[in-house]
Amino acid sequence: MEAALDGAGSGKNKHGEEPEASEEAITFLSSIEPAELQRCVFAESLVTVSESGRDLGDLSVTVEFACRAQQPCVLLHAQSHGVTDGCPCGTAVTAYLSVELEVLEEDYHEYVKLEAHSVDKRCHMVQCDGQMVINMVTTVVEEKTKESISYPMSALRGLVTEGSSLLLMRLIALRKKVPENMTFVSLDRQLRINHSTFSELGVKQLEAGDETLEAFGVQRTVNSVEGSPATWQCYFLHDGRLASRVQLGSPVTTKLLQLPPKTEKEKIPLEWNEDMQTRSEFLDRKEELTADHASYLKEHPEVRDLLSDFMQFLLLRKPDDVFQSAREYFCSFASRRPPESNVKVPSS
């Protein structure tokens, strides 16, 4: 079964209005600095537990810098696996995002394996010629339903998807502040444009392993044209790591059980080649040393002869122990040293 959804006018919400992102949300996206994104580049793993504390699954999120179609971007990959009421379920999302979190391409996969009613949903969106082209395939048991829709990018200004929302909340947590009226646009399960909002939950104490840590809370709500809104409450540590995540109305919680081992802070190499002053000083010093070395070799031509003879000595004999052979070779020059008595010792 195939269905083509007409993007024109299909983004209107239940009030007949075209959903738009707030100026505060657009300003936030445009204010993202490369240094902030660098702090978001890490991998994390959490577990999903029931109300009784039983382990039900896991969640992993990885953010790294990448290149797509020769364009630098951010690559986010997240996946969760678990068991609900004895049935395997999970989600996976892979998103290529611009430095302002604009979605360049995203794959989303969701599945629930029921005994007689398994559901598998796959959605792919990609920017193409000023449009966001979206294809979704839903498989219920063995029946497939295909849907396609496209929106002009102008209608998706401030779009936040499942993939970009994970990175967006990391950035919000690092700033430890959610601006007022943080309203973005999103796509609901029917691929209709609607609003998603982010609000601040404040700070609370959470346990991770044997430690009690302070965590900053962010609430995300995704509205739907036809259904009820879905709300998640997430708490993050000071470094942007997710400590706790729960969907309101769900009996399970995803949380961090143990802090990752502390590692030595990575040293950032000096990009001297891009620093004009440092590069100029380096070149001046390089020329100075080159001239000094050439002058010394000109005054002592025996250096070149000595090194040439030693190399020939090694290549002819091919010794296994080069250091021992070097010791024996250069010991023969010890007899040419001036007697100790001829060495003048400066008077005190």
Side-chain angles (χ1 to χ4, degrees), residues 126-184:
V126 62
Q127 282 196 41
C128 183
D129 298 328
Q131 299 276 323
M132 182 69 80
V133 180
I134 308 170
N135 292 288
M136 185 168 68
V137 179
T138 304
T139 305
V140 179
V141 189
E142 295 183 356
E143 182 180 352
K144 284 188 178 182
T145 300
K146 297 182 180 180
E147 298 173 273
S148 298
I149 191 172
S150 64
Y151 290 105
M153 291 304 301
S154 58
L156 297 179
R157 184 169 177 259
L159 172 68
V160 172
T161 61
E162 287 300 314
S164 63
S165 68
L166 294 170
L167 182 52
L168 174 62
M169 285 192 288
R170 277 189 184 183
L171 289 164
I172 290 174
L174 287 172
R175 294 188 183 186
K176 295 181 175 59
K177 181 176 178 59
V178 182
E180 294 290 335
N181 195 27
M182 280 278 276
T183 302
F184 299 85

Side-chain angles (χ1 to χ4, degrees), residues 44-58:
E44 60 183 342
S45 298
L46 300 92
V47 297
T48 302
V49 297
S50 65
E51 292 178 309
S52 62
R54 187 163 61 93
D55 191 343
L56 298 176
D58 59 80

